[in-house]
Amino acid sequence: MADLRELYQEVILDHSRKPKNYRKLEPHDRMATGTNPLCGDQVILYVRLEGDRIADVAFEGQGCAISKASASMMTVAIKGKTAAEADTLFQKFHEMVTGKPVAPVDSQSLGKLAVFAGVCEFPARVKCASLGWHTLRAALESKPTVSME
Ligand code: ZN
């Protein structure tokens, strides 16, 4: 289990202890609840839109350090982006954490999100890391809930 410790890099721990944008966003245009029953993670995501742009985003919830840190870092990464840009970032993130045989990690566009690259070695953790993103997609598609089962 020594390798698992490498997952909890400083930045992940920091975001899980002091998550960014961790609050209820009022008013909001979209809201979705995502659950990952396997681990017991829950993310409630709020989005305020200005046209097609994510003007503000915040979340609440509970769960493991990875789910919380990933949701926190996602809110930082997508604020101000259009829904389409956020979706492109999600695809890159998803390819990275599922370890799809694509090009090396696109750290240029992923930025700090690249710290989750190590997650691909721990399949059980992939759902933790992508819960926030799936919840975002549900919110943008006006689906009230999403489950990672
Ligand atoms: Zn988890």
Side-chain angles (χ1 to χ4, degrees), residues 107-138:
S107 55
Q108 191 92 41
S109 55
L110 284 166
K112 283 184 181 167
L113 298 173
V115 299
F116 289 98
V119 168
C120 68
E121 290 172 48
F122 306 92
R125 293 304 205 173
V126 170
K127 289 180 177 178
C128 302
S130 43
L131 176 63
W133 291 91
H134 282 283
T135 310
L136 170 71
R137 182 175 272 179

Side-chain angles (χ1 to χ4, degrees), residues 36 39 41 64 67 125 128:
N36 176 21
C39 182
D41 309 318
C64 66
S67 69
R125 293 304 205 173
C128 302

Side-chain angles (χ1 to χ4, degrees), residues 2-149:
D3 283 341
L4 194 59
R5 231 168 276 151
E6 287 173 30
L7 264 181
Y8 292 85
Q9 295 179 38
E10 216 169 307
V11 60
I12 294 182
L13 269 180
D14 196 47
H15 272 270
S16 69
R17 286 191 190 123
K18 290 175 279 179
K20 302 270 195 288
N21 303 304
Y22 190 79
R23 66 184 192 280
K24 187 173 185 179
L25 182 64
E26 293 285 7
H28 56 262
D29 300 298
R30 302 287 171 83
M31 177 191 160
T33 302
T35 50
N36 176 21
L38 223 75
C39 182
D41 309 318
Q42 186 189 48
V43 169
I44 305 163
L45 195 79
Y46 307 93
V47 178
R48 197 168 77 232
L49 295 169
E50 272 170 20
D52 193 33
R53 196 164 291 275
I54 299 165
D56 206 354
V57 56
F59 79 105
E60 295 179 300
Q62 56 206 358
C64 66
I66 290 182
S67 69
K68 211 174 245 185
S70 181
S72 168
M73 293 174 73
M74 176 191 78
T75 61
V76 173
I78 63 167
K79 200 185 277 193
K81 285 193 161 49
T82 64
E85 286 166 349
D87 205 51
T88 301
L89 201 56
F90 175 36
Q91 282 166 30
K92 285 180 200 264
F93 182 84
H94 198 258
E95 281 168 6
M96 176 180 72
V97 295
T98 53
K100 292 257 172 66
V102 286
V105 173
D106 185 0
S107 55
Q108 191 92 41
S109 55
L110 284 166
K112 283 184 181 167
L113 298 173
V115 299
F116 289 98
V119 168
C120 68
E121 290 172 48
F122 306 92
R125 293 304 205 173
V126 170
K127 289 180 177 178
C128 302
S130 43
L131 176 63
W133 291 91
H134 282 283
T135 310
L136 170 71
R137 182 175 272 179
L140 293 175
E141 291 174 353
S142 296
K143 290 182 190 156
T145 58
V146 63
S147 176
M148 301 297 291
E149 280 175 281

